Amino acid sequence: MLPNYASPIERIWFWTFRTLCVLILIFLVSPLLVIVPLSFSSDSFLLYPIHSFSLRWYQEFFGNGVWLHSLKNSFIVAPAATLLATSLGTLAAVGLTSSDFPGKSLLMTVLISPMVVPVVIVGVGAYLFFAPLGLSNSYPALILVHTALGVPFVVITVSATLRGFNNNLIRASASLGGNAITTYRRVVLPLIAPGVISGALFAFATSFDEVVVTLFLAGPEQTTLPRQMFSGIKENISPAIAAAATVLILFSIALLLSLEWLRGRAERMRTSLAE
């Protein structure tokens, strides 16, 4: 809040900055505000003005075997990749933050490299690796590459959580007779759970929304929802794509709300431990 003793220039900057932030937010959200109403249009094309509203395209989305098959594939690949990415990323983060060793920075760079390397390069490299093995059109290849794309998010979020971790709790567990596995399961994991779950949500969203790697590795049987949307835009623009996009928007909002809840929970846990 603006203090009562603020000068006129400070007041002008206060409101100018907030107005600018609102305008930027509107600019970023406006594409979503355009797509969502089109999903309720009864027209056969994506156009404005909307003449009448209907749930026709949601019926098309949830009643069409092609869309349902792609949605099912997304819910096969994304959870499996999330489970692997969360397990591997959490173990990597614990190992990197608990000790110092030669090459630690290099290893951390390698782990987060899928986040910064262009996804097209990842797709080409994955195809050249899996194609000679006969796995280019298979679920395992797609899941493994999506796992590699999700691991950096888990490593970063869990590492950030562990930086504020009180190592005296581990010593206390050891003094009470707890071995390494028991200490990790009953002391460390519950306290870093918000970071682990946050990383898992980011990994899930990355896998669920990924399309470029899927274009390289997935065959007709492994077509995911984003790839089906991409194919629909390229071949036949149907308002059913707007309905699919709206479903993804609602799903993303649910993920963001979950992340905010986890952030608040982690803050309350830190406050209670500090007290």
Side-chain angles (χ1 to χ4, degrees), residues 82-270:
T82 301
L83 181 62
L84 288 174
T86 304
S87 302
L88 298 176
T90 301
L91 293 175
V94 171
L96 288 170
T97 55
S98 62
S99 60
D100 291 324
F101 52 88
K104 178 179 177 179
S105 298
L106 178 61
L107 180 58
M108 185 68 174
T109 302
V110 172
L111 288 174
I112 66 173
S113 61
M115 182 184 291
V116 296
V117 174
V119 69
V120 174
I121 296 178
V122 176
V124 172
Y127 177 78
L128 293 177
F129 177 80
F130 286 109
L133 301 177
L135 297 174
S136 57
N137 295 332
S138 65
Y139 287 108
L142 199 58
I143 291 171
L144 288 175
V145 179
H146 281 199
T147 299
L149 294 175
V151 162
F153 296 97
V154 181
V155 171
I156 290 174
T157 56
V158 176
S159 297
T161 304
L162 286 169
R163 288 192 183 96
F165 185 79
N166 187 358
N167 289 319
N168 290 327
L169 298 174
I170 298 178
R171 299 186 184 96
S173 175
S175 67
L176 295 174
N179 57 33
I181 297 177
T182 302
T183 300
Y184 178 78
R185 181 173 57 87
R186 303 189 64 177
V187 177
V188 178
L189 190 58
L191 292 176
I192 66 172
V196 174
I197 298 174
S198 298
L201 290 176
F202 278 117
F204 183 87
T206 300
S207 176
F208 197 85
D209 194 49
E210 205 286 319
V211 64
V212 177
V213 170
T214 308
L215 289 172
F216 282 96
L217 292 179
E221 293 300 319
Q222 295 82 37
T223 299
T224 59
L225 182 59
R227 177 177 172 177
Q228 183 61 37
M229 294 173 65
F230 180 83
S231 300
I233 293 173
K234 183 175 65 175
E235 299 170 0
N236 180 26
I237 299 179
S238 168
I241 296 174
T246 302
V247 171
L248 289 179
I249 290 170
L250 295 175
F251 187 72
S252 300
I253 292 174
L255 288 179
L256 290 175
L257 292 176
S258 300
L259 286 173
E260 182 61 24
W261 177 80
L262 289 171
R263 187 194 65 80
R265 181 177 180 273
E267 194 66 31
R268 290 191 297 271
M269 288 181 64
R270 292 193 190 96

Side-chain angles (χ1 to χ4, degrees), residues 28-50:
L28 294 175
V29 176
S30 57
L32 305 183
L33 301 179
V34 171
I35 290 296
V36 173
L38 287 174
S39 67
F40 295 97
S41 173
S42 61
D43 296 322
S44 299
F45 300 96
L46 298 172
L47 54 85
Y48 277 102
I50 299 175

